[in-house]
Amino acid sequence: MGGPQDNLLVTQLDVTSLEDVEAAAQVAVDHFGRIDVLVNNGGNFFAGYFEGSRPPKCASRSKRTSSAR
């Protein structure tokens, strides 16, 4: 269990950077072939369907949350 695992991918990203988020998703697709479920565990809550969310809206909320710390 201490070595590389085929079903595990660790990557670093800044959740306030759309470019980082897109790059991390692409790394996951490249590694696993597809993404079935994508979980945002950054501590924000966005009510509504993911497909209907707009990146600028999400980014502005993330920046407010990040700068409050």
Side-chain angles (χ1 to χ4, degrees), residues 15-28:
V15 297
T16 65
S17 167
L18 180 58
E19 293 82 16
D20 278 8
V21 172
E22 290 174 341
Q26 187 59 55
V27 168

Side-chain angles (χ1 to χ4, degrees), residues 2 10 14 18-20 23 33 39 41 43-44 51 56 59 63-64 66 68:
V10 178
D14 176 354
L18 180 58
E19 293 82 16
D20 278 8
V39 177
N41 194 19
N44 288 324
E51 292 85 357
K63 287 178 184 174
R64 284 197 309 264
S66 297

Side-chain angles (χ1 to χ4, degrees), residues 6-53:
D6 290 338
N7 62 351
L8 174 68
L9 174 66
V10 178
T11 186
Q12 181 176 342
L13 72 130
D14 176 354
V15 297
T16 65
S17 167
L18 180 58
E19 293 82 16
D20 278 8
V21 172
E22 290 174 341
Q26 187 59 55
V27 168
V29 170
D30 293 345
H31 182 80
F32 295 111
R34 68 182 195 210
I35 296 176
D36 292 326
V37 177
L38 184 63
V39 177
N40 171 8
N41 194 19
N44 288 324
F45 172 74
F46 303 109
Y49 292 102
F50 177 78
E51 292 85 357
S53 65

